[in-house]
Amino acid sequence: MIKSKFFRAGVCSIGMALALVGCASEPTSNGETTDETGQGVEAEGGGELVVAVLSDATSLDPHTSSDVPSGNIQSNIYQTLVKYNTDMELEPLLAEEWTPVEEDVWEFKLREDVYFHDGSEFNAEVVKANVERILNETTASPRAILFEIVEEINVVDDHTIQFKTEQPFAPLPAHMAHYASSMISKEVIDGDNEAVENGEQPGTYVNENPIGTGFFKFDNWQPGDHLVLDNFEDYWGENAKVDTVTFRVVPEDLTRIAELETGSAHIIDPVQPSDLSRVENMAGTEAYVRNAASITYLGFNMEKEPFDNKLVRQAIAMTLDKEAMLNGILDGTGEAAIGPINDTNFGFSEEVDAIERDVEGAKELLAEAGYENGFNTTIWTNDNRERIDIAELTQASLAEIGINVDIQVVEWGAYLDATTAGEHDMFILGLSLGTGDADYPMHMLFHSDSVGSGNRVFMQDEAFDQMLYEARIEQDEDTRLQMYVEATNYLNEESPMAFLYHPSHIMGVGEGVEGFWSDASGVYQLQDVTIQ
């Protein structure tokens, strides 16, 4: 049990090893806290767990959405074939084992006696239908990049499936751990296909019928307000400890903290770094802080002037003061980024040509690009106080080189839609580095096939696409690592975005809450949570 007021979980070694433990609190003197209605909550099993969050989910379909607020809900309804444990090592979930039976064939043995919330059976045909749906162009999945190298899907028997890839592809099991590869009931997939044939958008039927194999099942959703999941009593494994979990949307940072303090919320996310000390000093609460497999960046719309000019992009990247961001806004949490990934992912190396702050050099680049007197532009951000603060600091930094910035704050769902459509100039956003391998984030953020989904900078570079392809099929680990060093150097040269920092995940955990932890992507692990 954690006694300190502040807990950090961090990297314990380079690459794939991450260390973290659960977060716990001492019980109150009477062994009871209150839920949002003021009613007492039972200890050690049962009760309503309340999680107060900044942003609502945008969709309950894991195949057609790409944001973490949605992923946090989806990960409690659906499950993947494999998962990462607390040390970022792959372990079985819906698949019991996986083996490269040939250089270009991965075989997965599936768990038996697993059933969806609708009573249908989980089997190899279901897995085939799910991956085929992700790859189907009609689905327009922003996560298709995870499996585009899969050439054939063969059902060997009810509980054995094989994936043949275009080339040998070592990261495939890691991709199967990403929540975007969650397994949906085949009956729901069939229903969604029928709805699409009748003119509905892909995912509409799934969003209304979110049926997975997880330890929670969907109850109700009032968009913009709250979403409720119920304990799935017929779950194939160990049941969740609480009766229900309510994700309540609380956009105001200080309101979330007040709810944690009063006990009307058991967990809050996020806690802004500037509010960390307040949570630390509140009686009975814990601050849960862990290093993040995540990148926060300032993206440029490469299809718009003047951001179609590499020199302009380089000048902006050279002007930004990352240390001021870390110390002045993040209160010493997080770490400066030298590329798109950190040491939570294979492919990271400190031996890259990082961009250093150089205001005078940036002025020279702007003049060379034809913008000696600067220009006017905008930065978009969603309604997240940390990102708004970063936008304001960026605004001040760019004023040093004559760039006048107007900041526009946009509601989360509209923000995702508008940046996907390319309506922005510059924007602040992040990406969860969820597979533990550089292949996914680099494809998601920069590959030509990801334009209009994860690739909101609209980078379309055949040479870089080829670099990523060669790196993903390389079998020698040392050679492959060096290829990602070269890819990172290429990105720093082209500067499609300014890599700002890898944030820490900071959450507040209330009195009497035990068993909570978050993975490196910031996805809540709620199966073992108990409340008193």
Side-chain angles (χ1 to χ4, degrees):
M1 182 173 294
I2 296 166
K3 302 290 187 180
S4 65
K5 294 298 299 171
F6 176 38
F7 170 64
R8 289 182 185 271
V11 175
C12 62
S13 65
I14 288 294
M16 297 294 289
L18 295 168
L20 55 97
V21 298
C23 186
S25 303
E26 297 292 347
T28 60
S29 58
N30 61 4
E32 185 177 274
T33 188
T34 58
D35 64 14
E36 61 183 328
T37 65
Q39 300 298 311
V41 178
E42 296 176 10
E44 293 302 320
E48 175 188 355
L49 177 68
V50 179
V51 184
V53 297
L54 169 67
S55 302
D56 198 5
T58 61
S59 172
L60 301 183
D61 180 359
H63 301 164
T64 61
S65 57
S66 60
D67 59 298
V68 173
S70 296
N72 259 318
I73 307 295
Q74 296 159 6
S75 296
N76 286 283
I77 299 173
Y78 309 102
Q79 294 182 304
T80 52
L81 297 191
V82 299
K83 67 176 181 178
Y84 280 111
N85 62 19
T86 57
D87 295 321
M88 280 299 282
E89 298 167 340
L90 287 176
E91 62 181 27
L93 191 55
L94 292 178
E96 294 183 314
E97 58 183 76
W98 49 96
T99 311
V101 293
E102 297 179 29
E103 281 192 350
D104 58 351
V105 178
W106 279 96
E107 181 176 276
F108 289 77
K109 294 287 188 180
L110 307 179
R111 192 178 299 276
E112 300 184 22
D113 298 322
V114 174
Y115 294 88
F116 287 90
H117 303 152
D118 60 4
S120 60
E121 185 179 6
F122 169 75
N123 54 37
E125 289 290 350
V126 171
V127 176
K128 186 173 189 290
N130 273 267
V131 178
E132 285 180 342
R133 179 175 186 259
I134 296 171
L135 290 173
N136 191 324
E137 291 184 2
T138 301
T139 306
S141 173
R143 308 294 199 175
I145 203 81
L146 285 168
F147 301 112
E148 65 176 4
I149 200 169
V150 173
E151 196 170 58
E152 295 178 17
I153 306 174
N154 299 311
V155 173
V156 178
D157 56 43
D158 282 352
H159 296 95
T160 308
I161 191 165
Q162 293 181 348
F163 296 93
K164 186 179 188 304
T165 55
E166 295 173 6
Q167 299 285 343
F169 187 54
L172 186 64
H175 285 201
M176 288 294 183
H178 196 289
Y179 59 79
S181 67
S182 293
M183 296 291 115
I184 301 171
S185 163
K186 189 173 184 302
E187 279 74 2
V188 173
I189 291 177
D190 292 341
D192 195 71
N193 291 337
E194 183 177 343
V196 170
E197 291 176 0
N198 292 329
E200 294 281 357
Q201 289 294 316
T204 300
Y205 186 86
V206 176
N207 197 45
E208 296 171 351
N209 300 273
I211 304 297
T213 61
F215 35 81
F216 288 112
K217 63 180 180 179
F218 177 73
D219 185 297
N220 71 86
W221 185 16
Q222 300 297 319
D225 188 76
H226 70 273
L227 184 148
V228 180
L229 305 179
D230 294 335
N231 191 311
F232 180 46
E233 295 181 356
D234 294 327
Y235 177 60
W236 59 268
E238 183 178 346
N239 290 91
K241 305 299 189 297
V242 297
D243 296 325
T244 67
V245 54
T246 298
F247 298 88
R248 195 166 68 238
V249 181
V250 183
E252 300 81 14
D253 297 330
L254 295 181
T255 303
R256 288 196 302 278
I257 291 175
E259 293 198 356
L260 182 69
E261 189 169 22
T262 62
S264 58
H266 300 103
I267 298 167
I268 63 172
D269 178 41
V271 172
Q272 300 297 346
S274 57
D275 297 325
L276 178 57
S277 61
R278 177 172 174 177
V279 174
E280 291 180 86
N281 293 324
M282 286 187 335
T285 64
E286 301 283 356
Y288 180 88
V289 183
R290 70 150 300 148
N291 65 309
S294 177
I295 176 69
T296 295
Y297 60 85
L298 174 71
F300 309 117
N301 188 337
M302 297 174 66
E303 292 190 334
K304 282 188 176 183
E305 294 183 359
F307 305 106
D308 58 348
N309 189 319
K310 177 172 70 174
L311 298 179
V312 172
R313 301 192 302 266
Q314 289 177 340
I316 294 174
M318 289 174 62
T319 306
L320 302 180
D321 191 342
K322 298 178 188 178
E323 290 305 314
M325 295 179 186
L326 292 173
N327 296 324
I329 297 174
L330 302 185
D331 281 8
T333 64
E335 58 183 335
I338 59 175
I341 62 173
N342 61 1
D343 54 6
T344 64
N345 273 232
F346 176 84
F348 172 80
S349 171
E350 294 182 349
E351 304 302 317
V352 299
D353 301 326
I355 296 176
E356 302 293 340
R357 176 168 162 81
D358 182 357
V359 175
E360 293 305 314
K363 291 178 180 178
E364 294 174 4
L365 287 176
L366 268 191
E368 185 180 346
Y371 296 94
E372 183 175 359
N373 297 319
F375 54 87
N376 298 325
T377 189
T378 61
I379 291 178
W380 285 19
T381 181
N382 66 301
D383 44 351
N384 176 308
R385 182 149 57 99
E386 176 185 306
R387 288 180 180 168
I388 294 171
D389 290 344
I390 294 297
E392 292 175 349
L393 183 57
T394 299
Q395 180 186 52
S397 295
L398 294 187
E400 297 181 52
I401 59 173
I403 298 177
N404 300 311
V405 175
D406 178 50
I407 298 171
Q408 298 182 9
V409 180
V410 185
E411 181 274 329
W412 178 242
Y415 182 67
L416 294 179
D417 291 341
T419 51
T420 295
E423 298 173 13
H424 55 283
D425 295 329
M426 296 186 288
F427 67 109
I428 297 174
L429 198 57
L431 180 73
S432 170
L433 314 175
T435 65
D437 188 283
D439 178 77
Y440 165 71
M442 287 198 179
H443 272 81
M444 193 69 175
L445 290 173
F446 308 112
H447 196 280
S448 300
D449 289 346
S450 296
V451 165
S453 54
N455 182 350
R456 290 174 163 87
V457 297
F458 293 85
M459 179 177 177
Q460 300 183 69
D461 187 321
E462 290 184 4
F464 188 71
D465 291 349
Q466 184 62 28
M467 291 175 71
L468 292 186
Y469 181 77
E470 292 174 1
R472 75 173 358 183
I473 65 174
E474 175 59 51
Q475 296 301 293
D476 181 78
E477 192 171 274
D478 292 336
T479 302
R480 189 165 179 258
L481 175 61
Q482 187 57 39
M483 295 171 84
Y484 284 122
V485 171
E486 295 172 4
T488 301
N489 287 336
Y490 189 95
L491 289 172
N492 281 328
E493 172 67 22
E494 293 298 316
S495 294
M497 61 177 59
F499 304 112
L500 302 181
Y501 56 86
H502 303 286
S504 294
H505 295 305
I506 309 176
M507 305 170 192
V509 182
E511 190 165 19
V513 177
E514 298 187 20
F516 171 76
W517 62 281
S518 162
D519 70 11
S521 297
V523 175
Y524 316 139
Q525 308 299 311
L526 302 179
Q527 183 177 13
D528 295 325
V529 171
T530 60
I531 52 179
Q532 295 182 355

